[in-house]
């Protein structure tokens, strides 16, 4: 299946081979590991704020964008992948000395999970209905926690 989708991508992309920009190099960067000298030609790329690196990244992005924009079904694939990733993700909780439970939560399409806390494990348990789709709220009997009767701050 993956091979078929990759073939579809390459058959609809640009026909001419891409011309990639030259990366900034430095032949004087040499490290020694266990008595062997190793030249690190691409060490300038480690400085991600250097002008040469920024120009190279911009040129690389232009090549990539030109290729990807030529794929006619790109937006359809992007929409489908976004739909598949759009569900609540919650990490396992841990208890700190202050008695609160902390965990990382992501409402679906956030770039990264955010730290969240609750006073009881019941709040965390209500927030992690991982077998129930987040849009099927009618399956969840209540958004209030059983222990405190308070609404969890981590529910969306």
């Amino acid at each position: 299946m993956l091979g078929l989708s990759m073939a579809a991508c390459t058959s609809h992309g640009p026909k001419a081979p891409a011309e990639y920009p030259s990366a900034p190099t430095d032949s004087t960067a040499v490290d020694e590991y266990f008595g062997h000298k190793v030249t690190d030609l691409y060490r300038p790329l480690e400085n991600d704020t250097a002008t040469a690196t920024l120009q190279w990244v911009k040129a690389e992005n232009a090549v990539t964008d030109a290729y990807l924009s030529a794929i006619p079904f790109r937006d359809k694939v992007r929409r489908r992948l976004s739909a598949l990733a759009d569900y609540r993700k919650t990490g396992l909780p841990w208890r700190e000395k202050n008695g609160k439970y902390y965990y990382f939560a992501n409402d679906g399409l956030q770039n990264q999970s955010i730290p969240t806390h609750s006073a009881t494990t019941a709040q965390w348990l209500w927030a992690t209905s991982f077998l129930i789709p987040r849009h099927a709220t009618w399956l969840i009997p209540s958004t209030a926690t059983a222990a405190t009767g308070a609404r969890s701050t981590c529910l969306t």
Side-chain angles (χ1 to χ4, degrees), residues 103-119:
Y103 53 95
F104 289 91
N106 185 313
D107 69 0
L109 295 178
Q110 292 172 297
N111 288 334
Q112 58 194 17
S113 296
I114 57 170
T116 311
H117 68 86
S118 62

Side-chain angles (χ1 to χ4, degrees), residues 4 6 19 69:
L4 180 61
M6 293 302 289
E19 292 188 29
S69 65

Side-chain angles (χ1 to χ4, degrees), residues 14-110:
K15 302 297 183 208
E19 292 188 29
Y20 292 97
S22 298
T25 59
D26 178 11
S27 60
T28 63
V30 178
D31 292 321
E32 187 171 328
Y33 299 103
F34 307 105
H36 298 280
K37 293 186 181 216
V38 178
T39 304
D40 186 359
L41 291 176
Y42 299 102
R43 184 162 302 162
L45 292 175
E46 292 180 14
N47 182 358
D48 60 349
T49 60
T51 303
T53 303
L54 293 172
Q55 289 173 348
W56 177 76
V57 169
K58 187 176 181 179
E60 281 282 321
N61 285 341
V63 171
T64 302
D65 290 341
Y67 179 83
L68 293 176
S69 65
I71 299 172
F73 52 86
R74 179 181 183 199
D75 287 333
K76 185 176 180 181
V77 171
R78 182 192 323 255
R79 284 191 306 271
R80 178 64 178 142
L81 290 175
S82 292
L84 290 172
D86 190 11
Y87 66 93
R88 183 170 179 79
K89 302 157 194 77
T90 307
L92 293 173
W94 68 93
R95 187 175 182 186
E96 289 292 331
K97 293 179 184 178
N98 63 4
K100 291 184 179 180
Y101 292 89
Y102 292 85
Y103 53 95
F104 289 91
N106 185 313
D107 69 0
L109 295 178
Q110 292 172 297

